[in-house]
């Protein structure tokens, strides 16, 4: 099962390789990984999506907590959480294709962030499912390049 | 007080109570060595950095204190990696200081530069590259704190040459608090009660103790628990010494080369108290067949050890000693009421039958010296009052099976990593910690050659370490596997050329004996043990003697090959 794990770490050199090395050394897989500083100076948040059965996910979480540079590890798939990923796509948009692509952009509430005579760069944000659906739709026009951020996620607020 | 980085390091070691450092100098640590004579710290100059780290490890295992090792950058640092991994696998508190090229040169492939922090990331508990001298004192404090707290382990501190030379105001923190590191020491009391409740119902309980009992100094509490409730005890290789080897409740080691009684007891138990052990594959055999009838309680200070190999019923994250103190407190009123546990007489009778049916033994046929008999003789001569270190392989298993350990920290062996060459430098470390104790390395002719150069170290410091080589001319354990599972294809396991160990000892200034006749074993060992010098006793043993019992890899624990 897919899990989103959020890790609060000390923002110091080598932290990323401690986490990445833990995954590779113990044979866990990383599907996506995202790191950025938090509002607290000196702390960063890593968001990792990974796959595994219950026992493996438990090991991953415990091993991450064991790293001396880790403050907090949360399995966001357990809690009700909001997940988003951003993707940029360079799509072939010559001639008549262009109007069709722009209609899809509209439906998916994407943004066109760069235009040239024969291609468009589209920016889209959403959950994994939405991104996959968009890729599937645009594939027939020719996707030349894709860049993705990997998932980020936050726990939802209390609802009453 | 303004001090240089080198002075800060040494002053901090002094304040940590470090009395001995095992090391080897080089360009990137000359500044530290330049200051060393000004501090009340003994330095043991080894002949290879692997010797330094193993000696620091042996010192730590024998004394319970943090072992310290100091080496230079590049090859000095990489030579310690095997020893760091050894300490990591066995949770031994050591702090390794490595020199590094000056900070402006880092990343430039400078002379003797290596990214030792990167290399050792996965075999240290934590490691540091200190680029700023103002952070050095705090980092050293943290390193000692990390190495010795929670689940102990090696911590490496890499110090560039310019940081050693830079000067700053020195302030050594008294205590350390880290927001990202807070090991759980005290057990959850509800879990402790649950364990006591399980004990109250168990008819066939067993204690399966590991190295955690020794590293947390929990042996007294363990002995009290076992004797008070009459629970039989088995231990892992790392746990040997945590329970008296001559106690009627002692079953011997379990696992691949464990006793018949221990393996059958663990497989038939209805309650297993796993204390400071980690269900290693050498212990469990085929995991799906392991202890299927038992409720398993697992106590470990490291949460990652729990539910890793075996799914247990009652996990308890706690220091072993803190847990046993809490459990014994919980049991006290129940003992008064007579409700602590039912009688285990029937179970003990059954276990006793297993032990007497198949004791650990060996064939006495033939005229050659039996390696097992040598270990038994060492036990008899020392009354079990020696610190035994081992190399790895058959020598290690015989030392585990035929010597009875009565107190913790008297059996030092590379359990997790299985590092050949560990035993002799570890013996040097143990001897430095206990100058008056008899320290014996039970070695094989293969593994002793992996760190043999430390003879110079032992002789130089007048350390009366005894090396007893069980010489069979083979890499015996691999040969045994080849014999049993690889159609006797003894590829690359026969050591066709061996040094004359007596001459070798003498060349280094140590004493050497060679024994080929069984009737000479006891007399020679006696003489060697009485000699206040470094001694090699080279004992030519039955070449193709095997270690039994043996559970073939991947087989259930009860499928044992016996003598």
């Amino acid at each position: 099962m897919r899990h989103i794990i959020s890790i609060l770490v000390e923002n110091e050199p080598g932290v990323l390789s401690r986490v990445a090395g833990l995954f590779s050394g113990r044979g866990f897989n990383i599907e996506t990984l995202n790191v950025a500083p938090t509002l607290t100076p000196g702390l960063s948040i890593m968001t990792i999506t990974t796959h595994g059965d219950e026992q493996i996910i438990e090991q991953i979480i415990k091993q991450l907590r064991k790293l001396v540079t880790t403050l907090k590890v949360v399995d966001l798939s357990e809690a009700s959480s909001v997940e988003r990923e951003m993707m940029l796509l360079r799509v072939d948009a010559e001639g008549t294709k262009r109007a069709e692509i722009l209609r899809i952009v509209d439906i998916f509430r994407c943004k066109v962030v760069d235009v040239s005579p024969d291609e468009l760069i589209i920016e889209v944000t959403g959950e994994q499912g939405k991104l996959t659906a968009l890729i599937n739709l645009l594939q027939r026009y020719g996707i030349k390049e894709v860049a993705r951020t990997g998932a980020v996620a936050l726990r939802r607020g209390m609802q009453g | 007080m303004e001090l240089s980085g080198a002075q800060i390091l040494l002053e901090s070691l002094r304040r940590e109570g470090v009395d001995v450092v095992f090391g080897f100098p080089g360009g990137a640590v000359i500044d530290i060595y330049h200051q060393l004579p000004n501090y009340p710290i003994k330095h043991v100059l080894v002949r290879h950095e692997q010797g330094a780290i193993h000696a620091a490890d042996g010192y730590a295992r024998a004394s319970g204190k943090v072992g310290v090792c100091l080496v230079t950058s590049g090859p000095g640092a990489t030579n310690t990696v095997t020893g760091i991994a050894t300490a990591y696998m066995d949770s031994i508190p050591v702090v390794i200081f490595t020199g590094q090229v000056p900070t402006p040169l880092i990343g430039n492939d400078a002379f003797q530069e290596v990214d030792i922090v990167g290399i050792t990331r996965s075999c240290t508990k934590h490691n540091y590259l200190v680029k700023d001298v103002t952070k050095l004192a705090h980092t050293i404090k943290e390193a000692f704190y990390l190495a010795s707290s929670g689940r102990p382990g090696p911590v490496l501190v890499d110090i560039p040459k310019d940081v050693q030379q830079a000067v700053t105001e020195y302030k050594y923190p008294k205590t350390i608090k880290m927001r990202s590191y807070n090991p759980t020491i005290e057990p959850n009391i509800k879990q402790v009660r649950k364990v006591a409740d399980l004990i109250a119902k168990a008819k066939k309980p067993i204690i399966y103790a590991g190295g955690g009992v020794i590293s947390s100094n929990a042996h007294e509490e363990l002995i009290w628990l076992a004797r008070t409730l009459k629970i039989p005890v088995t231990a892992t290789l790392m746990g040997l010494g945590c329970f008296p080897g001559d106690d009627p409740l002692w079953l011997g080691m379990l696992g691949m080369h464990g006793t018949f009684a221990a393996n059958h007891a663990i497989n038939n138990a209805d309650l297993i108290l796993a204390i400071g052990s980690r269900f290693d594959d050498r212990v469990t055999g085929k995991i799906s067949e392991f202890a299927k009838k038992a409720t398993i309680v697992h106590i470990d200070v490291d949460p990652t050890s729990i539910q890793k190999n075996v799914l247990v019923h009652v996990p308890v994250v706690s220091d072993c000693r803190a847990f046993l103190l809490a459990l014994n407190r919980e049991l006290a009123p129940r003992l008064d009421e007579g409700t602590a546990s039912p009688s285990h007489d029937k179970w003990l009778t059954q276990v006793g039958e297993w032990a007497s049916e198949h004791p650990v033994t060996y064939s006495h046929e033939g005229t050659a010296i039996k390696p097992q008999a040598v270990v038994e003789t060492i036990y008899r001569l020392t009354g079990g009052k020696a610190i035994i270190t081992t190399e790895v392989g058959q020598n290690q298993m015989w030392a585990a099976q035929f010597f009875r350990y009565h107190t913790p920290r008297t059996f030092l062996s590379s359990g997790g990593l299985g590092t050949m060459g560990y035993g002799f430098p570890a013996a040097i470390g143990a001897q430095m910690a206990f100058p008056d104790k008899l320290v014996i390395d039970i070695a094989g002719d293969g593994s002793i050659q992996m760190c043999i150069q430390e003879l110079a170290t032992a002789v130089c410091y007048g350390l009366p370490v005894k090396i007893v080589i069980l010489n069979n001319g083979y890499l015996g354990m691999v040969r045994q596997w080849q014999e049993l599972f690889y159609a006797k294809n003894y590829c690359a396991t026969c050591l066709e050329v061996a040094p004359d160990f007596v001459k070798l000892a003498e060349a280094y200034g140590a004493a050497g004996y060679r024994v080929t006749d069984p009737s000479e074993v006891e007399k020679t060992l006696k003489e060697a043990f009485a000699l206040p010098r470094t001694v090699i006793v080279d004992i030519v043993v039955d070449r193709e003697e095997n270690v039994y019992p043996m559970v073939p890899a991947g087989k259930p624990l009860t499928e044992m090959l016996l003598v």
Side-chain angles (χ1 to χ4, degrees):
Chain A
M1 194 190 150
R2 178 171 174 265
H3 284 249
I4 307 171
I5 296 169
S6 171
I7 314 153
L8 185 66
V9 294
E10 297 281 0
N11 183 7
E12 52 184 60
V15 162
L16 178 59
S17 66
R18 282 183 207 284
V19 172
L22 188 157
F23 274 77
S24 63
R26 295 194 179 265
F28 306 141
N29 69 67
I30 297 180
E31 190 179 287
T32 72
L33 182 153
N34 177 289
V35 201
T38 64
L39 294 179
T40 314
L43 292 183
S44 288
I45 277 275
M46 284 192 194
T47 312
I48 290 181
T49 56
T50 182
H51 281 273
D53 62 27
E54 222 175 291
Q55 203 182 347
I56 288 176
I57 298 296
E58 183 182 335
Q59 261 303 306
I60 291 176
I61 291 171
K62 284 175 169 179
Q63 292 286 355
L64 285 168
R65 284 188 180 135
K66 188 175 162 181
L67 292 176
V68 169
T69 40
T70 303
L71 277 82
K72 196 174 166 194
V73 182
V74 182
D75 183 358
L76 284 172
S77 15
E78 276 179 1
S80 157
S81 61
V82 184
E83 172 201 345
R84 289 293 180 272
E85 178 173 358
M86 195 180 89
M87 173 168 70
L88 296 173
L89 302 109
R90 188 191 304 280
V91 187
D92 193 336
E94 276 186 298
T96 54
K97 286 186 198 173
R98 182 165 300 233
E100 287 181 41
I101 293 170
L102 287 173
R103 247 196 317 278
I104 293 169
V105 164
D106 242 12
I107 294 165
F108 274 76
R109 278 182 271 171
C110 314
K111 260 199 283 187
V112 175
V113 290
D114 185 68
V115 185
S116 60
D118 49 5
E119 58 185 37
L120 296 171
I121 296 181
I122 297 166
E123 174 197 314
V124 57
T125 304
E127 284 183 23
Q128 206 186 25
K130 174 176 172 180
L131 269 48
T132 312
L134 182 67
I135 290 172
N136 288 341
L137 276 171
L138 292 178
Q139 212 127 40
R140 73 172 97 157
Y141 305 108
I143 300 174
K144 291 179 170 173
E145 223 178 333
V146 171
R148 304 173 67 154
T149 58
V152 291
L154 284 179
R155 192 197 298 265
R156 282 186 194 277
M158 301 294 266
Q159 313 234 313
Chain B
M1 183 174 36
E2 293 245 306
L3 295 179
S4 71
Q7 290 170 316
I8 289 172
L9 167 60
L10 292 163
E11 178 59 25
S12 305
L13 291 185
R14 191 184 67 77
R15 294 196 189 191
E16 286 295 328
V18 174
D19 52 9
V20 56
V21 167
F22 302 89
F24 198 95
V29 284
I30 299 186
D31 289 274
I32 297 166
Y33 276 89
H34 185 58
Q35 293 293 341
L36 190 56
N38 302 328
Y39 290 83
I41 297 169
K42 267 178 268 171
H43 179 261
V44 174
L45 174 64
V46 295
R47 295 299 184 269
H48 185 295
E49 288 88 350
Q50 186 180 353
I53 177 72
H54 286 329
D57 170 313
Y59 174 90
R61 290 189 207 222
S63 68
K65 299 203 292 189
V66 178
V68 177
C69 164
L70 170 65
V71 297
T72 192
S73 64
T78 53
N79 275 344
T80 64
V81 173
T82 301
I84 295 174
T86 304
Y88 184 66
M89 287 290 268
D90 290 343
S91 311
I92 306 304
V94 286
V95 177
I96 305 97
F97 294 98
T98 52
Q100 182 55 280
V101 301
T103 41
L105 291 184
I106 289 178
N108 286 6
D109 299 326
F111 176 65
Q112 293 196 325
E113 180 189 357
V114 79
D115 173 17
I116 195 63
V117 168
I119 288 171
T120 58
R121 203 165 274 139
S122 61
C123 62
T124 49
K125 183 169 171 182
H126 197 56
N127 58 17
Y128 302 87
L129 167 62
V130 185
K131 284 181 159 176
D132 177 354
V133 72
T134 62
K135 295 196 173 132
L136 183 57
H138 190 270
T139 305
I140 294 168
K141 183 80 194 172
E142 230 173 68
F144 275 86
Y145 170 61
L146 284 175
S148 56
S149 62
R151 180 179 181 173
V155 177
L156 182 140
V157 183
D158 198 21
I159 313 174
K161 191 175 168 89
D162 55 327
V163 175
Q164 297 167 29
Q165 291 166 342
V167 172
T168 188
E169 181 66 24
Y170 178 68
K171 218 180 133 221
Y172 200 60
K174 283 211 169 60
T175 54
I176 282 282
K177 204 168 158 28
M178 294 170 73
R179 58 181 177 181
S180 59
Y181 173 79
N182 295 294
T184 306
I185 302 300
E186 291 297 325
N188 180 321
I189 196 68
K190 279 187 200 152
Q191 295 295 85
V192 175
R193 244 169 246 147
K194 215 184 264 179
V195 177
D197 291 345
L198 285 169
I199 291 174
K201 279 183 286 184
K203 293 196 175 70
K204 301 173 176 179
I206 184 171
I207 292 171
Y208 148 46
V213 173
I214 291 175
S215 63
S216 71
N217 299 313
H219 54 284
E220 280 174 18
E221 290 73 20
L222 181 87
I223 292 168
W224 185 88
L225 173 69
R227 285 187 179 157
T228 308
L229 300 183
K230 293 202 172 62
I231 302 176
V233 180
T234 180
T236 65
L237 186 77
M238 294 303 300
L240 295 180
C242 76
F243 195 76
D246 54 0
D247 193 290
L249 291 166
W250 173 243
L251 301 178
M253 183 172 75
L254 84 166
M256 182 175 274
H257 295 295
T259 65
F260 186 85
N263 284 358
H264 278 76
I266 201 116
N267 243 26
N268 286 285
D270 61 359
L271 176 66
I272 296 174
L273 301 175
I275 309 179
S277 46
R278 60 183 177 90
F279 299 91
D280 178 82
D281 55 275
R282 285 292 188 269
V283 159
T284 62
K286 188 178 182 184
I287 205 106
S288 57
E289 299 290 321
F290 177 76
K292 287 162 88 172
K293 299 167 192 162
T295 302
I296 305 178
V297 174
H298 190 184
I299 297 96
D300 204 298
V301 73
D302 178 2
T304 68
S305 287
I306 298 175
Q307 316 290 30
K308 183 169 68 183
N309 299 332
V310 167
L311 289 175
V312 302
H313 307 88
V314 184
V316 187
V317 177
S318 168
D319 172 78
C320 292
R321 181 154 186 268
F323 167 80
L324 284 168
L325 282 170
L327 178 65
N328 294 350
R329 262 199 309 275
E330 177 66 31
L331 288 170
R334 301 183 189 216
L335 281 164
D336 292 340
E337 292 162 18
T339 57
S341 86
S343 159
H344 305 138
D345 287 352
K346 227 171 116 189
W347 171 234
L348 289 173
T349 309
Q350 168 71 75
V351 170
E353 275 167 19
W354 284 322
S356 53
E357 269 168 40
H358 297 288
V360 175
T361 185
Y362 54 96
S363 154
H364 292 74
E365 280 167 28
T367 53
I369 300 172
K370 292 289 177 180
Q372 300 95 329
V374 175
V375 178
E376 284 178 334
T377 308
I378 296 173
Y379 176 67
R380 207 169 49 246
L381 289 176
T382 59
K385 288 195 186 84
I387 296 177
I388 302 293
T389 73
T390 77
E391 304 294 335
V392 165
Q394 290 184 317
N395 60 79
Q396 179 185 33
M397 290 301 117
W398 287 321
Q401 292 175 327
F402 293 93
F403 194 102
R404 289 171 176 263
Y405 301 90
H406 301 307
T407 48
R409 306 190 182 282
T410 54
F411 176 72
L412 320 182
S413 189
S414 169
L417 197 67
T419 308
M420 290 171 71
Y422 169 80
F424 178 37
I428 289 176
Q431 190 80 77
M432 283 303 293
F434 295 101
D436 300 327
K437 282 198 183 172
L438 181 57
V439 181
I440 305 167
D441 173 29
I442 296 181
D445 53 309
S447 40
I448 190 60
Q449 293 185 64
M450 284 207 179
C451 278
I452 192 99
Q453 75 286 345
E454 301 308 332
L455 274 171
T457 310
V459 171
C460 176
Y461 294 90
L463 302 175
V465 170
K466 317 299 175 205
I467 302 167
V468 179
I469 302 175
L470 306 174
N471 188 341
N472 57 12
Y474 279 120
L475 300 171
M477 187 58 96
V478 182
R479 188 210 55 77
Q480 174 172 342
W481 281 53
Q482 289 171 328
E483 176 190 331
L484 298 173
F485 316 117
Y486 292 87
K488 296 196 177 182
N489 178 16
Y490 295 163
C491 179
T493 42
C494 183
L495 300 172
E496 282 161 41
V497 173
D500 178 330
F501 287 107
V502 174
K503 279 189 187 156
L504 187 73
E506 285 164 359
Y508 273 104
Y513 296 89
R514 185 177 168 87
V515 187
T516 52
D517 181 344
S519 68
E520 297 284 307
V521 171
E522 180 159 344
K523 188 176 127 284
T524 313
L525 286 174
K526 216 176 194 170
E527 199 177 317
F529 293 168
L531 215 57
R533 297 173 62 191
T534 311
V535 185
I536 289 185
V537 186
D538 179 22
I539 304 184
V540 179
V541 298
D542 201 346
R543 290 205 74 191
E544 301 204 354
E545 188 63 31
N546 286 339
V547 177
Y548 292 119
M550 178 175 194
V551 179
K555 290 278 198 276
L557 275 190
T558 44
E559 281 186 32
M560 309 180 76
L561 307 176
L562 299 164
V563 176

